[in-house]
Amino acid sequence: NPIVLELGCGRGEYTIGLAKNNPNKNFIGIDIKGNRIWTGAKYATENKLMNVAFVRTRIDFIEYCFSEGEVDEIWLTFPDPQPQKTRIRNRLTHPVFLNRYKKILNPSGIIHLKTDSTSFYEYTLEVIAELKLKLLYSTDNLYIHNPSGKEELTAIKTHYEQLFTEKGEKIKYCCFKLS
């Protein structure tokens, strides 16, 4: 089955939600904090979700966890926007990370980004344009402009997404290809 990663998955809400909706795909949540992914792993085990796994590792090492072209999709759900200028290289859509993803993503693979951070969203769109990547869809207000047939984009909410939407924050979304 196709492999879908959620990088920086936190408690695994999105990994679990996607897995429930897509039983013919395998979902792997990745996070450095074991206490976070324990919540999702426990839920998946107790509910016998056979298409879910979690890996505790740094995203810096992602290219060593999967074979070339093995991954079909990557989800970045509410990653730390790393707003300080000195931390730009730590943004999960920085070219350094995109090059890591390119090694494991199959040529038709897609990257999804959901964020509440306007500056991180705009930064990502700039990187996509500068690298001449294929932008498939983008919106600065997902709950108003949800693409047809993609209801899971708003039906599944992470802990942070729940907090941000309750405060009235607009959720930004884009998806793109690296090739």
Side-chain angles (χ1 to χ4, degrees), residues 69 71-74 102 104-112 134 136 176-179:
V71 175
D72 289 273
E73 292 180 57
I74 295 175
K102 192 170 189 172
I104 61 170
L105 200 60
N106 74 44
S108 61
I110 297 172
I111 297 177
H112 304 267
K134 185 173 184 177
L136 301 173
F176 58 99
K177 290 186 174 193
L178 296 176
S179 56

Side-chain angles (χ1 to χ4, degrees), residues 3-4 9 14 24 110 152 163:
I3 295 175
V4 179
C9 70
Y14 223 81
N24 296 324
I110 297 172
E152 68 186 9
L163 293 175

Side-chain angles (χ1 to χ4, degrees), residues 16-54:
I16 295 292
L18 288 170
K20 286 175 162 180
N21 292 342
N22 301 281
N24 296 324
K25 293 181 179 181
N26 293 321
F27 294 86
I28 303 172
I30 298 179
D31 205 292
I32 188 61
K33 305 257 177 139
N35 61 335
R36 287 184 193 163
I37 61 176
W38 180 86
T39 303
K42 182 175 185 274
Y43 182 92
T45 301
E46 289 175 350
N47 291 277
K48 297 179 177 47
L49 292 175
M50 304 306 290
N51 62 333
V52 177
F54 290 90

Side-chain angles (χ1 to χ4, degrees), residues 15 22 66 80 117 129:
T15 301
N22 301 281
F66 299 93
D80 184 339
S117 171

Side-chain angles (χ1 to χ4, degrees), residues 6-11 13-14 31 36 59 75-82 92-93 112-118 120 142-143 152-154 156-165 169-173:
E6 181 188 8
L7 304 181
C9 70
R11 298 175 185 173
E13 302 102 322
Y14 223 81
D31 205 292
R36 287 184 193 163
I59 296 170
W75 284 84
L76 306 171
T77 53
F78 300 90
D80 184 339
Q82 305 289 344
L92 294 184
T93 56
H112 304 267
L113 169 69
K114 283 180 78 173
T115 183
D116 66 303
S117 171
T118 300
F120 184 64
L142 181 60
Y143 285 84
E152 68 186 9
L153 289 173
T154 54
I156 303 168
K157 288 187 178 180
T158 68
H159 170 73
Y160 288 108
E161 186 170 2
Q162 187 71 39
L163 293 175
F164 298 136
T165 55
E169 295 281 343
K170 292 179 183 174
I171 304 304
K172 291 83 173 157
Y173 169 78

